[in-house]
Amino acid sequence: MLQHLADDAVVSALGSRDRGPTTVCVDGARAAIGAGAKRLLVVSASGMHTEGDGFFTRTLVKPLLNTFLKHGWADMLAMEAVVTAADLDWTVVRPPMLLDGPRTGKVVSRLDGNVRTFTIRRADVAAFLLDAVADPTLIRAKVSIAHG
């Protein structure tokens, strides 16, 4: 079953380094959906979501971050809306701040809100995505992940 799902899956980890207006994430999602993807996993961000966050993070940290990251976050929110409205097996993966470095293998996830950890390595996100392709519990789910 893993091979079948892997053959039909699209994983999008697009993003913009520019802090100006962008549509790279939503455009990529629309392209994957338009191309007939049956299984689509997209990397978004936990930053613009506050479910599960502590008071300090929700009321001070995230509003401050929004002033710097509002365009990228708006693009990701638009992407999430397009993906979740599509008639396919989607998964939205929401990591916090991404770090470089080797895979640690220590990832925690949560379906009903953000994980209260503020970083994760890119290599751990990649490994999570590959595992998530074949995880039926993550179909049509928004999952927050972070370093555990």
Side-chain angles (χ1 to χ4, degrees):
M1 175 116 174
L2 173 61
Q3 183 61 40
H4 172 70
L5 285 172
D7 289 343
D8 297 335
V10 173
V11 176
S12 175
L14 296 172
S16 175
R17 290 187 178 265
D18 185 10
R19 290 204 174 133
T22 181
T23 59
V24 68
C25 294
V26 71
D27 291 346
R30 285 184 180 128
I33 293 165
K38 302 292 184 231
R39 177 84 173 105
L40 176 61
L41 295 87
V42 295
V43 177
S44 186
S46 64
M48 63 275 198
H49 302 283
T50 58
E51 301 88 358
D53 288 342
F55 178 79
F56 179 74
T57 300
R58 185 177 59 253
T59 60
L60 182 64
V61 174
K62 291 201 173 172
L64 180 64
L65 286 174
N66 188 52
T67 62
F68 299 104
L69 303 173
K70 65 182 173 185
H71 296 297
W73 285 359
D75 182 29
M76 289 180 190
L77 284 171
M79 173 193 64
E80 287 190 19
V82 166
V83 169
T84 59
D87 185 26
L88 52 84
D89 292 340
W90 53 264
T91 302
V92 174
V93 179
R94 297 173 172 167
M97 184 172 70
L98 301 174
L99 302 176
D100 293 329
R103 180 175 175 234
T104 67
K106 297 177 182 177
V107 176
V108 292
S109 64
R110 184 174 172 185
L111 294 174
D112 61 346
N114 288 330
V115 177
R116 289 191 180 189
T117 305
F118 302 110
T119 62
I120 191 169
R121 291 189 178 173
R122 286 176 174 86
D124 286 319
V125 174
F128 182 88
L129 288 163
L130 292 175
D131 290 341
V133 167
D135 186 343
T137 67
L138 295 178
I139 291 174
R140 302 186 74 77
K142 300 171 192 170
V143 57
S144 294
I145 62 171
H147 178 75

